Amino acid sequence: MSASSPTTATGALDGANEKRGLWSSRMAFILAATGSAVGLGNVWKFPYITGENGGGAFVLVYMLCIAAVGLPIMMAEVVIGRRGGRSPVNSIRHITQRDVLSSRWSIVGIIGVLAAFLILSFYSVIGGWAVSYVGTTASGQLTGQSAEAIGALFSNLLADPGTLLLWHTVFMALVMAVVVKGVRAGLERAVSILMPALFVLLLTVVGYAMTTGHFGAGVSFLFKPDFSQLSTSGVLVALGHAFFTLSLGMAIMMAYGSYLPKDISIAKTSITVSLMDTVVALLAGLAIFPIVFANGLEAGAGPGLIFQTLPLAFGHMPMGSLFGSLFFILLIFAAWTSGISLLEPLVEWLEEQKGMNRVRSTLGAGIACWLLGIASILSLNLWSDVAPLGMFAMFEGKTVFDLLDYLTSNILLPLGGLLVAVFTGWFMAKDALQSELSMSATGFNIWYATLRYLAPVAVMIVFVYNLI
Ligand code: PHE
């Protein structure tokens, strides 16, 4: 991979390169986009929300949301980015000027920046859990432990704000350290090695899960739909997660798309990224649920699910301390590359709009996010009874952490995605879209109809159902 390829939305452009500002290859774009997409959402969030929403039916709806809503919107974001050729807010502005549309569309970029900021604040706290588990697994203290002991270890972590703060700080510092330099080819190379490694280790845990004697139960939990288990709010969670896991609705793919050379197929690359993302999530599910059933654990245990199940697997497999610490290190890398893509939009926005330099904007954005993260930490222990917006039925009983998650995944991201779909499907010039996508007529028509009708209607129906 050439050292001059930019890896993020930044102006990480190399003047020496003739093809200034373009990805070094199709692979480079795929790696960066996958680096953003594959993260805690796949390994941590997908299994636990699947457990909370009853399994198979949820997984089916989730996959439908990926294919029928997420993928077309990802393509739309990449199209806007490549067409505009600038940072998200300016790309949209540029397109609106050229096609004589309202400049208010740049709100899409603003919603994105806000959502990314809010997500990173709690994402970093969870990233911190993963950091803390590297030591826990490496020290060998999990070896041969019972499910209860491992569960207690996790509860103790959550009950201890000081330790949580330490690891949250470490994670945020890792993210800031990369963003402050402007993201370079090193990250691209890291993703190309670490993602396959994470994949292999996930397969190792799946291999262990097969030996538990409950693999079949795990498979049928994941793939046998029982619609009586799925509520309408579960459908919203599935839709919201499709956006979260593909990093959509936040203008991130728009930023990446602006660096994509014209001759590369947007459809094929978007399909590749979505497929890889889905495969990682399903593998995580296949690794975790057999362990849940084999140990009589609760599938709906919530956000702690992977931290109560995977350590059990590592405590019982040969060389578990080694595999376990390696696994959590790789999970940190996956979370790190996603975290970087979450901080980048705000930093870039501060640079562009407020004229700050990179160091100041990274420090400002990173510290603000770190501070907000402290509220999420406290909501796991000292503030576990505090529900800031509890007076609204929709937010009843939601702690700061729950609230941030709900607000971003279930409201802001689908809203951002809806606006992207409407902007692209109803306002951008059709011939411009055709020339960007250069697909077969049938392929294009399917995409266009999905974007104009199916995606916006689906998002609106799910919204309406959940807001009334
Ligand atoms: N997609 C990432 C994950 O699944 C999270 C993320 C969301 C990253 C939005 C960037 C933007 O973990």
Side-chain angles (χ1 to χ4, degrees):
M1 232 146 284
S2 112
S4 58
S5 51
T7 320
T8 65
T10 355
L13 310 179
D14 189 334
N17 187 348
E18 270 304 299
K19 290 192 304 174
R20 194 176 134 87
L22 297 187
W23 295 101
S24 50
S25 66
R26 177 175 120 89
M27 202 53 202
F29 171 83
I30 290 181
L31 283 174
T34 311
S36 172
V38 174
L40 295 169
N42 309 63
V43 180
W44 161 70
K45 196 170 177 189
F46 171 74
Y48 102 71
I49 56 179
T50 299
E52 284 184 339
N53 289 284
F58 176 84
V59 174
L60 191 67
V61 172
Y62 160 76
M63 292 204 286
L64 268 177
C65 289
I66 293 273
V69 182
L71 176 63
I73 290 182
M74 181 186 287
M75 290 168 60
E77 283 200 17
V78 180
V79 167
I80 296 177
R82 186 159 82 179
R83 188 90 194 137
R86 294 163 172 75
S87 78
V89 176
N90 286 335
S91 278
I92 295 178
R93 204 167 279 152
H94 181 71
I95 295 173
T96 54
Q97 276 162 5
R98 198 173 41 197
D99 297 356
V100 211
L101 303 170
S102 162
S103 63
R104 296 223 183 97
W105 281 108
S106 51
I107 184 84
V108 177
I110 301 192
I111 293 182
V113 168
L114 177 68
F117 174 78
L118 297 177
I119 291 178
L120 182 58
S121 75
F122 67 84
Y123 201 83
S124 167
V125 175
I126 315 294
W129 297 358
V131 180
S132 124
Y133 268 74
V134 175
T136 312
T137 36
S139 69
Q141 56 179 304
L142 298 172
T143 314
Q145 291 289 359
S146 66
E148 291 75 42
I150 282 173
L153 211 67
F154 182 69
S155 322
N156 291 341
L157 174 67
L158 292 201
D160 179 358
T163 309
L164 291 173
L165 182 63
L166 170 68
W167 300 126
H168 163 54
T169 310
V170 169
F171 187 86
M172 194 62 95
L174 283 173
V175 170
M176 287 166 68
V178 175
V179 172
V180 77
K181 290 210 208 86
V183 189
R184 295 268 166 187
L187 188 71
E188 217 176 87
R189 190 162 317 126
V191 174
S192 66
I193 298 167
L194 297 167
M195 287 293 157
L198 178 67
F199 188 79
V200 170
L201 269 181
L202 264 177
L203 281 178
T204 312
V205 188
V206 173
Y208 169 80
M210 287 177 172
T211 69
T212 59
H214 288 70
F215 195 68
V219 172
S220 65
F221 181 75
L222 276 174
F223 297 113
K224 221 165 119 204
D226 173 0
F227 281 92
S228 68
Q229 298 289 320
L230 188 66
S231 61
T232 49
S233 74
V235 177
L236 178 63
V237 174
L239 179 74
H241 189 61
F243 285 100
F244 184 91
T245 192
L246 294 178
S247 304
L248 298 180
M250 247 164 303
I252 288 177
M253 294 299 162
M254 236 179 257
Y256 285 179
S258 68
Y259 295 117
L260 193 66
K262 292 279 178 213
D263 56 343
I264 287 177
S265 156
I266 291 179
K268 278 193 206 139
T269 39
S270 305
I271 290 174
T272 311
V273 173
S274 310
L275 266 181
M276 291 205 278
D277 188 81
T278 307
V279 168
V280 173
L282 294 178
L283 275 183
L286 281 177
I288 284 158
F289 288 106
I291 301 174
V292 168
F293 298 125
N295 291 281
L297 298 169
E298 190 57 59
L305 187 66
I306 69 160
F307 297 92
Q308 286 156 331
T309 49
L310 293 177
L312 258 175
F314 296 126
H316 289 90
M317 67 168 75
M319 298 206 293
S321 301
L322 177 70
F323 282 134
S325 35
L326 213 55
F327 179 87
F328 283 109
I329 290 174
L330 291 169
L331 183 59
I332 294 167
F333 272 101
W336 192 7
T337 51
S338 304
I340 291 164
S341 73
L342 284 165
L343 186 59
E344 186 65 28
L346 179 58
V347 169
E348 202 184 329
W349 186 82
L350 289 174
E351 283 181 316
E352 267 183 20
Q353 307 293 322
K354 306 278 171 224
M356 287 189 191
N357 67 28
R358 186 129 197 122
V359 175
R360 292 190 64 181
S361 54
T362 307
L363 279 177
I367 292 174
C369 210
W370 175 81
L371 280 173
L372 184 60
I374 295 177
S376 286
I377 289 184
L378 292 174
S379 76
L380 298 169
N381 36 68
L382 302 177
W383 295 354
S384 60
D385 293 331
V386 182
L389 295 179
M391 58 282 209
F392 302 105
M394 198 165 68
F395 301 130
E396 208 184 308
K398 287 198 173 9
T399 64
V400 176
F401 172 83
D402 299 334
L403 196 63
L404 286 172
D405 181 28
Y406 189 89
L407 206 65
T408 49
S409 291
N410 296 4
I411 299 178
L412 289 178
L413 302 189
L415 187 66
L418 176 68
L419 292 174
V420 166
V422 172
F423 178 68
T424 320
W426 293 91
F427 290 88
M428 275 178 77
K430 191 173 175 184
D431 54 345
L433 299 175
Q434 272 162 330
S435 91
E436 282 300 334
L437 285 166
S438 57
M439 292 199 278
S440 69
T442 327
F444 180 84
N445 288 335
I446 294 176
W447 173 78
Y448 201 51
T450 312
L451 209 63
R452 278 166 77 89
Y453 306 104
L454 186 68
V457 170
V459 173
M460 280 193 287
I461 291 178
V462 179
F463 260 171
V464 169
Y465 251 102
N466 279 277
L467 295 181
I468 52 174

